[in-house]
Amino acid sequence: MISPTELRGLVAEVLPTATELRRAIHRHPELSYQEFATTERVATTLQYAGVRTSVREAGTGLTAEIGSGPRLVAYRADLDALPIDEPADNPFASQVPGVMHACGHDAHTAIAVGIALALSHFRLPGRIRFVFQPAEESFPGGAVDMVREGAIDEVMSIIALHVDPGLDVGTLGLRTGAITGSADRFTIRLSGPGGHTARPHRTVDLIYAAGKVITELPGLLDRLVDTRRALTVVFGRVSGGVAENVIPATVELGATLRTLDRELWDELPPLIEELAVGIAAPTGAKVEIDYLRGIPPVINDPAVIDQARAAIADLSGPAAIVPTATSMGAEDFSRYLERIPGALIRLGSSPRSASVDLHSAQFVFDERALEHGIGAGAATLIRMLGHPSGLSGPTPPPRD
């Protein structure tokens, strides 16, 4: 297999290509399900190096594979950008108005390509499949399409890296169990006959009913669900009424609901409906609910985290591994983990300047993190393929 020293050398060889790819993708971002040029750019880079690729029939997203043999592990990267205007003075700023890679997907993709290039000329103890999915930022996410189309068929386990501007460059954040939350959306429509604000007793005061639902539903959830099962519901949209002296006939409320508990995620839809109807009942309002099941929580597999921990320690030393907190933000990487064990690993990417959170127009990725991402990803995938001593094995055979 590959020694830590040789792997570091391979990473150094492919780093310029990965860096230029990341910059090109950043300059030309594409929104969810529109990643045609990004897909072609990735496929061309890999094909030029002799890596087997397969572009989805839809033209957005692809898979690539290196190695041979029955054992198969996978690495997930995401391709899409966000509808955000990037400041023109950012490094390698977007040339597409209103679209920006503000979540690091350009880096995720470049890292995956870097791993494939670094390991493509070695006789691996199995195969590594790279899943470049579209539409991670959409709802409920492009991972659903990739799973349905067979992207992880035969795969034993899978990993993904996600940039984290809250962690220092050179560190990898590992966590067993829940690392990101679920994300569901629901709309509550309240209806009544409408009327005059001077005589609310002769109609149904929907604004009052909406206020009760907004304030009481989160409180009731807090008392009906064990507080050790993390849960949050937040109303982000309220629509109803056109005049101060008119009681409207309809009011619509939109909310998101998030949890870190996979079993609770299954229990929530009927509970939300029961509570909303019960809260509104005394007011006389009719209630309709559209509940959209979105993305389950990401639950990292303990065995895969152990493999990542050992691999990263072999390559970069134990100090490169840091604890990381859970987040209520959602990641459709969880769709793969419904089928196979895996882990989402956080890649330290705090920029040299003050750290800015993901999904901000001010977000700037520190490219020094690419080297660490390629190395950690490659080392972990080799360990996942089942080599008993990971990167510490015998001198590698000659490159093919």
Side-chain angles (χ1 to χ4, degrees), residues 382-395:
I382 292 170
R383 174 78 61 162
M384 290 163 59
L385 275 176
H387 193 262
S389 54
L391 293 176
S392 301
T395 303

Side-chain angles (χ1 to χ4, degrees), residues 116-378:
L117 297 181
L119 299 182
S120 61
H121 297 293
F122 277 85
R123 290 192 288 273
L124 298 166
R127 290 174 289 151
I128 301 173
R129 182 177 296 166
F130 298 87
V131 179
F132 297 90
Q133 75 158 74
E136 191 278 330
E137 297 290 355
S138 71
F139 187 89
V144 174
D145 301 314
M146 300 303 285
V147 171
R148 184 180 64 248
E149 294 169 13
I152 58 170
D153 287 0
E154 304 178 48
V155 173
M156 302 183 301
S157 56
I158 187 169
I159 60 168
L161 297 184
H162 200 298
V163 301
D164 187 342
L167 298 179
D168 292 337
V169 171
T171 63
L172 286 299
L174 301 183
R175 185 180 187 87
T176 298
I179 188 169
T180 68
S182 64
D184 290 355
R185 300 177 182 180
F186 62 88
T187 298
I188 299 175
R189 295 184 182 88
L190 304 173
S191 61
H196 200 296
T197 57
R199 293 176 289 278
H201 59 286
R202 295 181 60 179
T203 185
V204 176
D205 187 348
L206 292 188
I207 299 295
Y208 172 73
K212 284 178 64 66
V213 172
I214 291 170
T215 56
E216 293 184 19
L217 193 149
L220 285 171
L221 279 174
D222 287 344
R223 282 148 186 83
L224 292 174
V225 175
D226 189 328
T227 56
R228 293 170 294 184
R229 306 174 80 183
L231 171 70
T232 180
V233 58
V234 177
F235 287 90
R237 180 172 58 85
V238 180
S239 176
V242 294
E244 289 80 359
N245 63 342
V246 176
I247 294 175
T250 60
V251 174
E252 192 169 280
L253 313 176
T256 60
L257 184 60
R258 304 170 186 270
T259 181
L260 298 172
D261 188 304
R262 183 60 176 77
E263 293 181 359
L264 179 59
W265 184 65
D266 290 327
E267 300 167 7
L268 286 170
L271 180 58
I272 292 296
E273 182 168 4
E274 178 185 349
L275 290 177
V277 171
I279 293 167
T283 72
K286 294 182 180 179
V287 178
E288 295 179 20
I289 298 179
D290 287 337
Y291 195 103
L292 299 177
R293 293 270 282 174
I295 302 168
V298 172
I299 312 295
N300 281 347
D301 182 78
V304 177
I305 287 292
D306 286 346
Q307 291 167 335
R309 189 182 308 278
I312 295 167
D314 280 350
L315 180 68
S316 303
I321 301 167
V322 297
T324 187
T326 55
S327 167
M328 278 298 187
E331 233 292 353
D332 75 347
F333 182 66
S334 56
R335 289 299 185 184
Y336 304 104
L337 303 192
E338 290 185 307
R339 303 292 187 92
I340 56 176
L344 179 69
I345 299 167
R346 294 207 170 112
L347 174 65
S349 57
S350 178
R352 293 179 175 90
S353 57
S355 177
V356 176
D357 200 7
L358 303 172
H359 289 219
S360 166
Q362 305 302 320
F363 172 73
V364 176
F365 172 72
D366 191 324
E367 289 186 334
R368 294 177 300 165
L370 289 175
E371 179 179 6
H372 301 285
I374 296 170

